[in-house]
Amino acid sequence: QVQLVESGGGLVQPGGSLRLSCAASGSIFSIYAMGWYRQAPGKERELVATITSGGTTNYGDSVKGRFTISRDNAKNTVYLQMNSLKPEDTAVYYCNAHLRTYGRISYADYWGQGTQVTVSS
């Protein structure tokens, strides 16, 4: 089927940077959008950033100006460059892809397994 494999999480000090990557593979016909969501303990999952195949981006208010999302359509890969990290950015970050697989006519959401980002001194 479809797999989303994330990498790049870890522990970083406040003010530091991390880069997340997510590669989609499998029986993929077309990807409309890819993005990142995060969930901190005791909180709901929230939007971090999304990017369409055409390059249109959307950011959550709390990360605007600090995070940058980009995408390599040829590799079905999305990246999240996170700068000026704050302790409140600590969460599990999930990759999302809105895509269509071979044999289906509709698009559906697929999720990665999540990668932990911890911002602490």
Side-chain angles (χ1 to χ4, degrees), residues 73-93:
N73 290 334
K75 296 181 178 179
N76 289 340
T77 299
V78 64
Y79 307 96
L80 184 68
Q81 178 66 42
M82 304 185 293
N83 298 329
S84 302
L85 282 160
K86 306 174 181 180
E88 50 264 44
D89 294 316
T90 296
V92 178
Y93 284 68

Side-chain angles (χ1 to χ4, degrees), residues 6 12 21-23 28 38-39 46-48 55 61 68 71 75 78 83-84 94 114 118:
E6 300 134 332
V12 64
S21 300
C22 172
I28 299 171
R38 68 186 183 186
Q39 187 166 19
E46 64 174 357
L47 167 72
V48 177
D61 288 340
T68 301
R71 177 174 168 177
K75 296 181 178 179
V78 64
N83 298 329
S84 302
Y94 295 92
T118 302

Side-chain angles (χ1 to χ4, degrees), residues 16-69:
S17 298
L18 278 177
R19 189 188 192 216
L20 305 182
S21 300
C22 172
S25 63
S27 184
I28 299 171
F29 177 78
S30 174
I31 301 178
Y32 173 69
M34 298 185 75
W36 295 92
Y37 294 74
R38 68 186 183 186
Q39 187 166 19
K43 295 187 177 181
E44 294 185 352
R45 190 173 295 190
E46 64 174 357
L47 167 72
V48 177
T50 61
I51 185 168
T52 68
S53 57
T56 300
T57 58
N58 183 40
Y59 292 92
D61 288 340
S62 62
V63 306
K64 287 179 180 177
R66 300 188 297 121
F67 291 9
T68 301
I69 190 169

Side-chain angles (χ1 to χ4, degrees), residues 1-7 21-26 28 31 33-36 76-78 94-99 108-114:
Q1 283 287 359
V2 175
Q3 285 188 321
L4 300 181
V5 179
E6 300 134 332
S7 61
S21 300
C22 172
S25 63
I28 299 171
I31 301 178
M34 298 185 75
W36 295 92
N76 289 340
T77 299
V78 64
Y94 295 92
C95 177
N96 169 269
H98 190 65
L99 60 83
D109 284 310
Y110 292 83
W111 295 89
Q113 79 285 356

